Amino acid sequence: MNVTPTPDKTWNSGIFKIIKVFINSCSTTTRQRNPPSDGKTQHVRLVTIGPSHYCEKARWALDMLDNDPVSPIYYTENAHPPLFQSLETLTLSDGKVSMVPMVELTNQNGEKEVMHDSAKIVEFFLPHLYPSSYRNEILELEEYSGQHIGATARCYLYHVSLKPKYYKFLTNMLTSQSSSVEKMIWGTILDRGIAKGMKKVMGINSHSAEASLAALRKAFNDISLKLTKKDGSKKKFILDTDEVEIGFTAADLAFCSTASVIVCPPELSLFMPMKEDEMPPELLNLRNELRNTFAGKHVLDVYKYHRGKVMPKVVNRDCFPFFSRL
């Protein structure tokens, strides 16, 4: 269920070449937020697919620094729909990497540096969330969350949503923080081959969806067991024991962010606008089912008390040269 990278040559022929011209002509990726305070001197650019739970993982890490008055780091997010993100990531990585999340930062030598992979991004920016005594366990839980929750949640969500009657729901979610031209084009081409292509690239079919659903339920059960005290009550954080409270670590950040796309914490509504009356019923039923587990309650609690309302750190990327001449 790994996503096949988008090769650079995809954008150099046929309809994709035309789309590339329109997107590059009518939007920009170079604008950035003004520093929120005088102490914010180090800018980072985050490239994402807006509602992606892997991108939320990197966003969460950067938000912790952006919101910290002591940290010099602030960031701007460029959110794109699936596939369109590769126009920016392939450019930043000299054609080597198409996937997100990706960050661009200036290193100690004053040179631009690009980093991708949500796990590497979190550990690079927030090493204190990996205390040495628990680092190996945290890395194992982080990998587990990515494989057994992140990949399976993506497969199941797209399986139930990539149907014509849910295209509007899916388009609204996938383009919620994108540029105007991306929203317009994505909404136009989804039912003209893109939906079929997404299923093929991600290996989505009834069999993989059924396996993903079973894996999701098992993963939530596994994490629920880790969160259960001997007396049957819930721990506050995943690595806590009955005797010692370890506190919030990258294990909690990784699990809660990768599970967010299924549990749908309300704090993420600006990136994942999922109205109950528009959601596929299978997705709504699964959300309600998993919210009732200790693992699902953990996601909701951590977002409510530790993540808070997620405000997009985006700028207006629209750029309409044709209209500006009129």
Side-chain angles (χ1 to χ4, degrees):
M1 281 178 289
N2 290 328
V3 177
T4 305
T6 304
D8 199 11
K9 64 181 181 181
T10 298
W11 293 106
N12 295 327
S13 61
I15 186 63
F16 290 107
K17 185 174 183 179
I18 297 172
I19 291 173
K20 177 181 178 179
V21 170
F22 268 102
I23 290 176
N24 287 342
S25 298
C26 298
S27 65
T28 179
T29 58
T30 59
R31 293 174 187 162
Q32 66 186 57
R33 295 167 56 221
N34 293 324
S37 67
D38 292 340
K40 296 294 182 180
T41 57
Q42 186 176 347
H43 181 259
V44 175
R45 188 172 305 282
L46 172 65
V47 186
T48 68
I49 292 172
S52 161
H53 42 326
Y54 292 107
C55 294
E56 163 60 7
K57 186 176 168 185
R59 180 189 299 121
W60 193 336
L62 290 174
D63 270 333
M64 289 179 68
L65 296 177
D66 197 300
N67 296 333
D68 181 358
V70 177
S71 169
I73 290 176
Y74 71 107
Y75 77 100
T76 303
E77 178 172 353
N78 288 350
H80 307 272
L83 179 65
F84 293 179
Q85 92 288 344
S86 64
L87 281 172
E88 183 170 6
T89 55
L90 286 168
T91 299
L92 292 176
S93 65
D94 295 323
K96 298 174 183 175
V97 180
S98 64
M99 292 174 284
V100 288
M102 178 179 286
V103 294
E104 181 190 42
L105 63 154
T106 304
N107 62 26
Q108 295 178 339
N109 299 322
E111 302 167 332
K112 292 290 185 181
E113 183 177 333
V114 170
M115 184 185 309
H116 63 95
D117 187 301
S118 60
K120 292 179 181 178
I121 292 170
V122 173
E123 187 167 16
F124 177 82
F125 285 104
L126 299 175
H128 69 279
L129 292 186
Y130 299 79
S132 57
S133 301
Y134 305 96
R135 184 172 183 274
N136 288 339
E137 185 176 0
I138 291 171
L139 291 176
E140 288 176 6
L141 284 166
E142 194 170 24
E143 184 177 0
Y144 180 88
S145 295
Q147 291 181 354
H148 297 277
I149 300 172
T152 55
R154 177 179 59 204
C155 176
Y156 187 74
L157 183 148
Y158 280 131
H159 175 71
V160 299
S161 302
L162 280 171
K163 300 172 183 177
K165 62 181 176 180
Y166 299 124
Y167 282 173
K168 182 179 179 181
F169 158 79
L170 195 60
T171 298
N172 288 341
M173 182 178 68
L174 294 176
T175 66
S176 62
Q177 301 298 329
S178 302
S179 66
S180 295
V181 67
E182 288 175 312
K183 291 179 181 180
M184 179 188 70
I185 294 176
W186 180 260
T188 302
I189 66 173
L190 182 57
D191 64 346
R192 300 183 183 181
I194 292 298
K196 184 177 180 180
M198 288 176 67
K199 290 180 181 179
K200 181 178 179 180
V201 167
M202 290 186 274
I204 297 172
N205 53 58
S206 59
H207 298 295
S208 61
E210 184 178 348
S212 293
L213 181 58
L216 269 174
R217 285 176 168 146
K218 182 181 184 304
F220 269 71
N221 182 64
D222 290 345
I223 298 298
S224 292
L225 291 174
K226 285 185 174 294
L227 286 164
T228 304
K229 292 183 178 180
K230 293 176 183 177
D231 63 6
S233 61
K234 179 183 171 297
K235 298 175 185 177
K236 192 174 181 180
F237 298 104
I238 292 176
L239 292 187
D240 289 354
T241 67
D242 282 51
E243 297 77 25
V244 181
E245 186 175 295
I246 306 302
F248 181 82
T249 69
D252 299 283
L253 190 155
F255 167 67
C256 292
S257 57
T258 51
S260 65
V261 74
I262 291 296
V263 176
C264 309
E267 290 78 13
L268 264 178
S269 61
L270 294 178
F271 278 99
M272 292 193 296
M274 293 191 184
K275 296 180 180 179
E276 291 189 355
D277 60 346
E278 296 177 354
M279 291 175 68
E282 304 98 318
L283 203 58
L284 181 60
N285 292 337
L286 181 62
R287 185 204 73 175
N288 293 339
E289 173 192 332
L290 297 181
R291 279 184 173 186
N292 285 322
T293 66
F294 268 3
K297 291 177 194 258
H298 188 59
V299 175
L300 295 174
D301 287 345
V302 170
Y303 266 88
K304 183 176 181 178
Y305 298 111
H306 298 277
R307 182 75 168 103
K309 183 73 173 179
V310 183
M311 301 304 296
K313 305 294 194 306
V314 299
V315 293
N316 185 338
R317 296 192 291 111
D318 293 345
C319 176
F320 299 109
F322 307 114
F323 299 111
S324 64
R325 296 173 188 170
L326 298 178

